[in-house]
Amino acid sequence: MDAEREALQVMAYPEVQSFCQKHGLMFEVVDLRLGIRDTEATEHMTTELCLEELDRCQKTSIGPAFIALLGDQYGPCPVPPLIEEKEWEALRAQLTTRPRDLELVVRCFRRDENSIPPTYILQSGTSEAHGPEEATLTSVLRCGAEEAWSQGLLSQRQWLRYHWSVTEWEIEQGLLSSAHRDQGATVFLREIQDLNKHILDDCALKMVDRLADGCLDTDAQNLLSSLKGRIADAQPGVLKVYHLPWSRDLVNPKNKAHARYLKELTEQFVARTNHQVLEHLRELDSARQELGWLYQEIHHHLWQGTEATRTFCGRQELLAQLGQQLRQNDSCSHSPLVLFGPPGIGKTALMCKLAAQMPGLLGHKTVTVLRLLGMSQMSLEARSLLKDICFQLCLAYGLPLPPAQVLEVHTRVVHFFHVLLHTISCRNFESLVLLLDSVDDLDCVRHSQRVPWLPLKCPPRVHLVISVCSGQRGILDTLQQTLRDPNTYWEVKPLSGDQGKEMIQLLLAVGRRTLSPHQRDILWASLSGCGHPGRLRLAFEEARNWASFTMPAPLATTAEEATHQFCIRLEQAHGQVLVAHVLGYIVSSRYGLSEAELKDVLSLDDEVLEAVYQDWTPPSKELLRFPPLRWVRLRRDLGSCLVRRPGDGCTLLAIAHRQLAEVICVRYLAGSERAKRHGVLADFFSGAWSQGTKKLITLPLVGKPLNLDRKVAPQPLWFSDTIANLRKLKELPFHLLHAGRLEELKQEVLGNMSWISCRGVSGGIEDLLDDFDMCAPHVNSPEVGLVQEALQLCRPAVELRGMERSVLYTELLARLHFFATSHPALVGQLCQQAQSWFRACTHPVLVPLAGFLQPPGGPLLVTLTGCHKGITAMAWNLEEKLLIVGTQDGIVTVWDTQEWQVVHILTGHTAEVRCVKIFANGTRALSTSKDHTLRLWNLLSGQEEFATSDGGSTSSTNPHTWGLHVDEVNTVVYSTSSSKVTAWNLETAQLVFCILGDASDPWVCTAMLPSQAQLLTVSEHGMVSLWSLDTGKLQDKHPLSSVKEETPTCVASLQRQGRMLAGFSSGSISLVSSEGERLLEKLPEAVGFLMVSEDESLLAAGFGRSVRIFLADSQGFHKFMATDLQHEDVVESAVWGPENNVIITGSRDALIQVWSLSEQGTLLDVLEGVGGPVSLLTRGGTLMASASWKSSSFKVWDLSYIQKPRPSTPFLDRTGLTAVSHNGSYVYFPKSGDKTKVTIWNVVEGEEQETLDTSSEVRCLEIAEQAKLLFTGLVSGIVLVFPLDSRQDVLCIPPPEVWKAINCMSLSKSEDHLAIAYDNIVLVLDISPGDPCPVIEGPTYTFYTQLPETIASVAILADYRVVYGMTNGDLFLYECVNSKVFPLEAHRGRVTCVEVSHKEELAVSGSEDTLLCLWDLQACKWKLEMSYTSSYCTGVQCACFSKDDKYVFAGLKDRSVIVWSTLDGTLLAVQFVHAMVNRIIATSNGFMAPTSHGYLIRERFQYPSARTSQQDPLKNFKKAVWLIKTRQKEELAAAAEASQDSGSGTMQGSESKSNKRSQVCLLV
């Protein structure tokens, strides 16, 4: 059936493989007769292996497990390779009367006493003869079996061993056996018409069974006929029969009948196989468990644990000691237990045995979680491992599962894990034992030698036991620095010599083997006193193959030598090339290889194929495959050296023992061999030789190059729309890197947008960044660095919206567009790929047309979301490159500032952390909390060294101040609060002294003055107290004389001068010392903070929205600059730059401003915080961290960017009062620090072009694009009109009343009317063409609102109708011509924007109450109402209509832009833009929008004409709520209610608002 087999390979298998891949399945064909000679196919070992592989298929396959091709040959009956003793005696008894036959059988078989029970083994060489002797031996055995069976000495199954062919055995097991009738099986039967008429005439016909003399084998034909009958009777539904007419050239490719048959066969095969797969998938879906992946993982590790303890012996004393330690730790907090020892010492078996004993040690309700790390793909990475464990623990204890937003960020998972352990402990019921074996096999541990997620203290009833290798890997050394308790570490030592012998005996007994006395002597001599389980197992693997008549050579004396000996034995049996390459591929793989992948890889390896086909030529002239039989034989001999890891929907093979993997590296992967292995693996996973692409090879017996199809699996990125090729994504970058194919790595992976998108969507942003972290250092490409940094900057958007393709494409395109021209090879190509994806996108999407998000190389390094709530304290550790973060929930997190990973999570505080202090060269830290505790931490180990409490009440609601000062010379720490000062000894944790304050006059300011050995405190009522730092005794006390009737608000210490600066509630700054005090400065408002530079040469004082800079002099400080540094909101924090030439200030509106002091306060940059008040700014070297007490995220900035060239310079607008002209070429905004001037910014050049002087503060700006005019509304009430294209005379529109500030302005769509809104007055003016500039006439109309509230926004129509919104949410439509006002339904908050459609039929209003309302201006009624809220903040900032009025574009206060359909209110798109959008201007195909980041968004809104499916824009948007209601539905509902209520009369208030929502989309 060679023609059928090749037809299936060429036409059927690829189609089925593609079908399976689209359903997330791996397709593997196990055809052990493929690519081998007939003599090999009938060997006795082949028969056994075929049945073993069939059993494996039936156990693991989803759907089809067995396909039979049955023609007119029954096949030979192979000689049994093994005959058990009783069966042998039965046969021998029948042959005693035939001495020659008996002599033949005795010569061919030899007794093996080492088998239990003894067996007779067919001697090698017998089955290879394939001549008359083998036929005679088969005939003799068959006759003997026939006679023995007739006498009842053999069972029927034993009798069948001498009669049935391999084919019948396979069909019996695969189809007819009752145990497997339900497995997917198909038999394709070929019947040749009139064959019987020709087989007797032509003895050369090979399509039937023949005897050695060429005569027809009638017995075989009868057995074949019987087999066909059995199939038809037992399973007629699986039988597919094909009738072919007789032809002498039946298998000739030109035979049309045969070609039709092959085509029909392949089509039937594809249809049948695909149907079976679908049927089984439906069954699995109906029975699928939601957490099936978790149950599979748990079952896998439990099964591995059971296998590991089957031959466990010894260690009883160690187990007893460990059990006693666990019982002692059960009722108290304790350190984890660490088992350590060299590789192969038996740690895994010990962990598994300990897990099995847990119910007896701690109670039958003990929850035991066992993970053998490295035994599954999920247990290879810390992220997936912790996720898996958290799910299992939540299920075991009936706790809520971790939410999606936790699972997306590794630091959150770590925090969830720690909290979960404490939650379990607090249940005070079931104990938990978590056993993690081989922690050093974790991917993150291998690279960083850190275990940041490891709890340093386990709470009561929670136990963590881990095992690690001792030696050169380093993880044990790291743990010993972290976990200092000596009771933590338990060494696993070798077994005793007697225990070693006991282990060998156990292994032999399990394997049903024994040894002769001589062999046992050789074994014990080789293992003299050996107690190393790994070495013992290797010796067993060698000895189990010894027959009793074998004369073994002495074994190796060391584990390494034994491993090499094992490899030599494999090479002798299977060939050096095959063994070297197979083991090399498995070790070189990143996570392991499946068997299907390995066979494909070997089919691409020319060296292996040349070795396999060195003595004969392959049967096919079109394709070339590696014979699977060769692999199955090698796999059988590898035995327990291979481990099977479930992962990515398949089972992956890996090397089970570390010693073997190391020997393989030395033996087979030295020099260039490793790169060769990686190269072939890269070829396979890239799909270079798939889908019909042929590869040249020169086989030894052919002598010329052959171009043959290797028929390897295709490797697309996506198998279907939802199923990614995870194996390719995880393996290909690794192999390209290690094969040295760096250019291909850049082009196909790191610089391929399709790859980046697929990797990100399928694995998450952290997996994607891991690949870049792995490859980027070796590629040495600035362009790759840009892409890597851009991906790092994408984190906030991904965490908010989830890893969608549109999010990733938008983020990268909007950041990398700046570099598309300067770096065309990689970045430019990426941008083009992104644009191509957008063009083909099938759902509504916003497409970036230019860069508008912060590009790589800018100030922002990274945005980190940790395990915290709001952040309340931060400190840099430059020595150890750490950042310490304290949070509102009492957690202190230690971050690595090189890899931006959490190093330690320090738990202990139960309330908000108020202060963190680092000392001792960065190795120790102190933290204070609202729980009134002081805790000392070792930053290297993450351990708490001591904790003290000052005894304060945690329930007090009085305002408190907290501070820390460390005196390292005297080893004393001083902790200050509003009610007491305590001094503690750092070494002994003993209280040195405690100073209690006056509860009626609490301290507001406290300053330590070590140079004077004094402590200064200032109380709420202005009392200055002077205390001794040595004794805590009061030295002086007096009221403030320089400041009267003011309350202190803040303090700063002048350590070198021994003085203190105090700020007060009415703006006074006083210089206080032990000698007295004097007034330094009087500020206009209360002093918010005081900050002194490190060298005490500069002082910054924050008050209100300003910061004043002072320079030190002999008298104290004097004002440094003529003007103060101005924010738009209250300034809350500040920090000095690295060289005191820069100051960075943060305000309540989440903006961070960078000022140059060397340039007299020039604003250098405006940065966006984390969406909340910038309450914390702290600097470490050139890095700065910013955080907020309202946000769980913080940002890290690189201040060295100031000296670097930037790809695009943003405009520095802080007011949000921006206007745009010339299609986005110019942006206008009030000048920073001087709002009486308007800056004209050239967007193309990235520089300021000109400044316009208005002589009064600017309140609003409007651009008349057609008339080329800039309207500036001023605080003075005047509107100045500047021509844009010329500097002609400026027009002035006077106010209706003197000094009435303008609130807002609006131009009509045709730009012929201008509305100017004051508090309660609106002026309407006309604009008409003129020469040289347009003429402004009016006011044509003036009207008063007659309301106490003020106007917040306004819009004007061409027919002199005006829509205006008020600060209280009221909205009105005013007809100027008729002097009529129409109240519109009110918002529930300030109306932030009102816009009119281009046809002036609709209007949209937005407010701070999150509502967007669409109004029908003819009916003066609302048409649609949309409410959108998100987790950040609520409210609408601005809005506009698209040019065709079909859509509304809106900028929201949560820093996102939405697109809303005016037809039915559908939310079409949501885009997070990282910054506040203050104005949106419609363009022909989208919009422009200036942002608070200083960039101009340019986007095209793409709405495909044919949408394939309804895309939910909020599908992955975290904590976002979208509510829509329509007037039509509201009125229908109201009418329905009225018709049902017959006694209610006419309906009242039909136009009042209803709370009913007609359409709700909610995603949290």
Side-chain angles (χ1 to χ4, degrees), residues 1388 1410-1414 1422-1429 1458-1470 1510 1512-1514 1521-1530 1554-1562:
R1388 293 183 290 272
T1410 75
L1411 282 181
L1412 267 171
C1413 292
L1414 188 68
W1422 66 274
K1423 179 181 177 183
L1424 294 169
E1425 182 182 287
M1426 184 275 286
S1427 173
Y1428 172 81
T1429 59
I1458 65 170
V1459 184
W1460 181 29
S1461 169
T1462 60
L1463 178 64
D1464 55 9
T1466 302
L1467 181 65
L1468 299 174
V1470 179
Q1510 180 68 30
D1512 178 11
L1514 293 182
V1521 180
W1522 170 265
L1523 304 170
I1524 303 171
K1525 72 173 184 178
T1526 65
R1527 172 169 292 278
Q1528 182 180 9
K1529 290 185 178 181
E1530 293 284 306
S1554 168
N1555 290 325
K1556 181 178 177 182
R1557 304 298 184 188
S1558 59
Q1559 180 179 347
V1560 177
C1561 298
L1562 172 63

Side-chain angles (χ1 to χ4, degrees), residues 1227-1240:
V1227 175
Y1228 306 79
F1229 53 91
K1231 185 178 179 64
S1232 298
D1234 186 0
K1235 294 184 182 177
T1236 64
K1237 294 181 174 60
V1238 176
T1239 297
I1240 304 177

Side-chain angles (χ1 to χ4, degrees), residues 476-497:
L476 181 60
D477 296 333
T478 303
L479 288 173
Q480 287 172 339
Q481 294 178 7
T482 304
L483 302 172
R484 301 293 182 88
D485 185 355
N487 292 328
T488 293
Y489 299 95
W490 297 77
E491 184 178 4
V492 182
K493 299 178 180 179
L495 300 172
S496 66

